């Protein structure tokens, strides 16, 4: 099978970066463009200003589905990330560009088996139990399909672009939940991403932005939220200010402007307002009491 416009494909690398245009990429982005991406090297190679360049739109995880809308002869595909709702941009999902080498044709023969989800911050897929690494940098929230039962603490899984099963440590995966998680469970996952560096458009434990943190924490439990903060606000239920609980969401906007920031509530009602968020200013994920300027732009409390 080949990649074709109008058909779905899947991401075959651990983390694929979605670009505004192929022409927007910079020399520093080389590790994120390779057929075997090295996102930690990409993040480490950027200075703080390059980490917030708007050439990056979002990121997609191994196995994530996209709809191909255009293929260019220079190795780029225009896609819609159908698992990242973005109603204001495209009703089908989040649009952008990916290198075609990071995609594989979608397999119409769906593999049976209870889906798994990566629960480790970062792990890898191996050629054999405890064998050579084939896909490094696989991150929290990645969904995998089992290819058989566990063997000596390892699980065989199907991986896009690889004909045979690859292996992951059994300690790094859990069954994908089928029930709705408690907000506190989601907050606990997000808490594990403290001190991860801020990357504009990031959706991984290598680097993340504010709405990416919310999207990824819920993704770990099989719940699909929109990619951007303003869409997340539209997709969640209002909560009266003062009645928020840990796991709810704070949204921020300047007067007359759309929502530009989101954080996860960490404090019980009646005390100081606190949140966990990927902070653009401090360039990392942190938990803090709302500073005065944040409190002044708090416009909504919402619940998933």
């Amino acid at each position: 099978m080949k990649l074709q416009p109008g058909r779905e494909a899947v991401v075959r690398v651990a983390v694929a970066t979605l670009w505004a245009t192929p022409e927007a990429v910079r020399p520093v982005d080389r590790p994120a463009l390779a057929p075997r991406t090295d996102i930690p090297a990409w993040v480490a190679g950027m200075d703080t200003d390059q980490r917030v360049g708007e050439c990056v739109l979002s990121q997609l995880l191994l196995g994530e589905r996209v709809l191909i809308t255009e293929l260019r002869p220079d190795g780029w595909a225009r896609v819609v990330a159908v698992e990242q709702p973005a109603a204001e941009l495209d009703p089908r999902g989040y649009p952008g560009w990916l290198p075609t080498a990071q995609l594989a044709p979608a397999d119409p023969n769906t593999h049976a088996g209870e889906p798994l989800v990566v629960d480790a911050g970062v792990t890898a897929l191996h050629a054999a139990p405890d064998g050579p690494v084939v896909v490094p940098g696989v991150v929290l929230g990645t969904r995998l399909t089992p290819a058989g039962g566990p063997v000596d603490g390892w699980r065989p899984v199907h991986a896009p672009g690889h004909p045979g099963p690859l292996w992951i440590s059994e300690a790094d995966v859990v069954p994908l939940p089928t029930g709705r998680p408690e907000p506190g469970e989601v907050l606990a996952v997000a808490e594990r991403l403290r001190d991860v560096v801020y990357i504009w458009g990031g959706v991984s434990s290598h680097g993340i932005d504010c709405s990416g943190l919310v999207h990824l924490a819920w993704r770990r439990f099989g719940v699909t939220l929109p990619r951007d903060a303003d869409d997340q606000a539209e997709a969640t239920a209002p909560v009266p200010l003062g009645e928020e609980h840990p796991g709810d969401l704070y949204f921020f906007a300047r007067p007359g402007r759309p929502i530009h920031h989101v954080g996860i509530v960490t404090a019980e009602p009646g005390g100081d307002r606190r949140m966990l968020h990927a902070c653009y200013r401090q360039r990392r994920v942190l938990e803090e009491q709302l500073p005065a300027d944040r409190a002044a732009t708090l416009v909504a409390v919402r619940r998933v």
Side-chain angles (χ1 to χ4, degrees), residues 75 184 238 302:
R302 313 285 289 191

Side-chain angles (χ1 to χ4, degrees), residues 11 14-19 32 37 39-40 42-43 46 56-62 64 81 83-84 94 98 139 199-209 212 215-216 219 227:
V11 172
V15 179
T17 301
L18 190 70
W19 304 92
T37 57
I39 301 302
W42 175 58
V43 172
M46 289 188 287
V56 174
L57 299 177
S58 187
Q59 289 182 314
L60 290 73
L61 307 188
L62 177 70
E64 193 165 338
E83 297 180 53
Q84 297 190 20
Y94 214 104
L98 293 174
V139 299
I199 299 291
W200 181 276
V203 191
S204 87
S205 43
H206 300 303
I208 204 159
D209 69 11
H215 177 88
L216 185 63
R219 178 192 175 101
R227 171 61 183 89

Side-chain angles (χ1 to χ4, degrees), residues 225-239:
L225 286 185
R227 171 61 183 89
D228 288 342
D230 52 351
D231 288 325
Q232 289 174 353
E234 289 294 325
T236 47
V239 173

Side-chain angles (χ1 to χ4, degrees), residues 45-231:
M46 289 188 287
D47 61 33
T48 54
D49 290 335
Q50 290 170 326
R51 290 176 181 174
V52 296
E54 294 186 5
C55 54
V56 174
L57 299 177
S58 187
Q59 289 182 314
L60 290 73
L61 307 188
L62 177 70
E64 193 165 338
R65 295 162 37 241
V66 301
L67 173 66
I68 297 175
T69 59
E70 181 184 343
L71 287 173
R72 290 194 350 183
D74 61 355
W76 284 90
R78 189 200 295 267
V79 303
V80 174
V82 298
E83 297 180 53
Q84 297 190 20
E88 293 187 11
L89 299 174
D90 190 313
R92 300 171 296 179
Y94 214 104
W97 291 85
L98 293 174
T100 55
Q102 296 178 3
L103 296 172
D107 187 349
N109 302 311
T110 303
H111 301 291
E114 185 180 59
L116 303 171
V117 62
V118 173
D119 191 47
V122 181
T123 184
L125 302 185
H126 299 250
D130 206 19
V133 171
V134 177
V135 183
V138 177
V139 299
L140 175 77
T142 300
R143 298 168 191 168
L144 299 167
T145 304
V151 176
D152 297 329
W154 292 82
R155 291 293 302 262
V157 295
H158 297 286
H162 299 274
L166 299 179
W167 295 79
I168 189 169
S169 171
E170 191 175 14
D172 291 345
V173 290
V174 295
L176 184 69
T178 55
R180 197 162 189 81
E182 293 296 324
E185 294 179 284
V186 181
L187 175 58
V189 167
E191 288 269 11
R192 289 162 49 195
L193 296 169
R194 279 199 199 208
D195 294 321
V196 168
V197 298
Y198 185 99
I199 299 291
W200 181 276
V203 191
S204 87
S205 43
H206 300 303
I208 204 159
D209 69 11
C210 66
S211 54
L213 177 66
V214 172
H215 177 88
L216 185 63
W218 282 92
R219 178 192 175 101
R220 156 65 180 81
F221 293 93
V223 177
T224 299
L225 286 185
R227 171 61 183 89
D228 288 342
D230 52 351
D231 288 325

